[in-house]
């Protein structure tokens, strides 16, 4: 088994270092190889996703990704900006299904901006289609308008589109994920206004007939945004397109208190996956040793489960994270009165220690 390690920029290098220590502690037979990506790759090779990095990613069973981006690259032409690396990886590896669980840990109920009773026990899964929609649709660009409200004016345009197979495959992923949970799927669309999302709704309903054990409902995206803060526990699996999923998954992330806690997985049809925290490179805190590494560490648990077929190791990593939270250790983003503030490294140390003791216990008890 081979893991491509792409730390990227900003806090990416700090949090991935801790995730690697966690993986090393497991002493499982996989090989890890690192390569630059994003701004770091632009500095080293003149491109955010160099051929050598893409080759390593394609050959690996799984990719551990940190984060990319820095404000200093904002003036570069779009194709050379760090964020293009992640779009390029999704496209070249066919990573069409993005899993973003939003779980509220008991110990962190107070870190949410919502009332504790609304989010205690929250466990929802947002499944976002990742390679289609308006983010990839062609044509796009700038031109002089020939019609519309201001003919002759400069305008910009993008294209929203989804094909039947693209919708069918993400719908199957969502229904199958729901079968392993509480058997409910909410498909989020904007069918009242957009032709693309009327089609989305129709195709998801058709696929739903193959899963009579799963209850399907449909919700407009504006209502879903409201319901997520009004009664988030009403949801179980939410499936939606690329743009709506981008926005709703960040909203769901904040329900749990900190984006620093939330892992993600992006899978292709062969179960090869890219695993990364839901947050970005956080240039405002990069290099200070204060970033929360838990989202990245929890992403390795998803990697162990989905791509490396090591469900037991995944559970051990998740239990180790719960244990350090129960010990009262908190990075600055989740700190509250009465808990102990620690930095990135100390948090990593604590998870490694919890994991080592669980491995020792397992060895002793056989
Ligand atoms: P961000 O997620 O990097 O940061 C948002 C806020 O959350 C900041 O205040 C930051 O300090 C905080 N934060 C994020 N991760 C944290 C962690 N682990 N621990 C503690 N606090 C944390 O989003 P942004 O500021 O909008 O973007 C910064 C850069 O990241 C941009 O260049 C953006 O394009 C890029 N970005 C990259 C990805 C990716 O690599 N997949 C995703 C989103 C944004």
């Amino acid at each position: 088994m081979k893991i491509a390690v792409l730390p990227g920029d900003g806090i990416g290098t700090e949090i991935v270092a801790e995730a690697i220590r966690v993986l090393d502690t497991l002493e499982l037979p996989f090989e890890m190889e690192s390569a630059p990506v994003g701004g770091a790759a632009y500095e080293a090779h003149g491109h955010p996703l160099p051929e050598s990095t893409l080759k390593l990613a394609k050959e690996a069973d799984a990719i551990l990704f940190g984060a990319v981006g820095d404000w200093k690259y904002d003036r570069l032409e779009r194709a050379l900006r760090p964020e293009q690396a992640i779009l390029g990886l999704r496209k070249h590896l066919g990573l069409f299904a993005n899993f973003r669980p939003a779980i509220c840990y008991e110990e962190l109920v107070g870190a949410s901006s919502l009332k504790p009773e609304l989010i205690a026990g929250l466990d929802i899964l947002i499944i976002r289609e990742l390679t289609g929609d308006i983010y990839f649709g062609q044509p796009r660009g700038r031109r002089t308008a020939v019609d519309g409200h201001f003919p002759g004016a400069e305008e910009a345009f993008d294209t929203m589109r989804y094909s039947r197979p693209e919708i069918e495959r993400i719908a199957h992923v969502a229904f199958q994920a729901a079968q392993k949970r509480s058997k409910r799927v909410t498909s989020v669309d904007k069918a009242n206004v957009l032709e693309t999302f009327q089609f989305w709704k129709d195709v998801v309903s058709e696929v739903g007939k193959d899963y009579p054990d799963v209850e399907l409902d449909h919700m407009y995206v504006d209502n879903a945004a409201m319901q997520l803060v009004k009664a988030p526990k009403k949801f179980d699996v939410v499936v939606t397109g690329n743009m709506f999923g981008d926005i709703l998954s960040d909203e769901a992330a904040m329900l749990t208190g900190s984006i620093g806690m939330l892992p993600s997985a992006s899978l292709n049809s062969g179960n090869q996956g890219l695993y990364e925290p839901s947050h970005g490179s956080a240039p405002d805190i990069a290099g200070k040793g204060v970033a929360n590494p838990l989202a990245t560490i929890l992403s390795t648990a998803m990697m162990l489960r989905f791509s490396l077929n090591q469900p037991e190791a995944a559970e051990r990593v998740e239990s180790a994270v719960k244990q350090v939270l129960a010990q009262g250790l908190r990075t600055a983003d989740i700190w509250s009165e009465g808990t102990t503030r620690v930095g990135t490294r100390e948090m990593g140390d604590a998870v490694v220690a919890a994991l080592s003791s669980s491995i020792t216990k397992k060895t002793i008890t056989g």
Side-chain angles (χ1 to χ4, degrees), residues 110-148:
S112 173
S113 47
L114 293 194
K115 291 181 201 139
E117 62 268 29
L118 286 186
I119 49 114
L122 181 80
D123 179 358
I124 61 182
L125 175 63
I126 301 213
I127 297 184
R128 166 187 170 197
E129 199 290 330
L130 209 54
T131 53
D133 206 352
I134 197 163
Y135 290 3
F136 287 93
Q138 294 289 343
R140 61 194 292 166
R142 290 182 187 212
R143 63 187 173 194
T144 301
V146 290
D147 49 17

Side-chain angles (χ1 to χ4, degrees), residues 98 100 126-130 132-135 160 162 186-198 200-201 219-225 228 238-252:
N98 182 230
R100 284 241 214 150
I126 301 213
I127 297 184
R128 166 187 170 197
E129 199 290 330
L130 209 54
D133 206 352
I134 197 163
Y135 290 3
M160 178 175 274
Y162 264 122
T186 303
S187 170
V188 172
D189 61 58
K190 190 71 185 166
N192 49 341
V193 179
L194 297 169
E195 202 51 44
T196 314
F197 274 90
Q198 180 61 57
W200 171 283
K201 185 174 180 176
M219 197 178 277
Y220 296 142
V221 63
D222 38 352
N223 188 22
L228 267 176
V238 175
V239 64
T240 189
N242 204 346
M243 182 162 66
F244 299 156
D246 190 0
I247 299 163
L248 293 182
S249 56
D250 268 19
E251 188 189 354

Side-chain angles (χ1 to χ4, degrees), residues 32 57 59 111 115 139 175 189 200 331:
M32 291 190 248
E59 286 168 3
K115 291 181 201 139
F175 285 112
D189 61 58
W200 171 283
T331 42

Side-chain angles (χ1 to χ4, degrees), residues 11 15 65-71 73-74 82-83 86 90 100 250 254 258-261 276-286 290-296 331-334:
I11 61 168
I15 53 182
F65 190 93
V68 291
D70 192 290
W71 301 309
Y73 301 112
D74 283 356
E83 293 77 7
I86 185 84
R90 285 173 191 165
R100 284 241 214 150
D250 268 19
M254 279 320 292
S258 172
I259 203 160
M261 289 300 301
E276 58 171 334
S278 296
H279 56 76
S281 54
D284 54 334
I285 55 166
V290 297
N292 187 346
L294 294 181
T296 316
T331 42
D333 56 310
I334 51 174

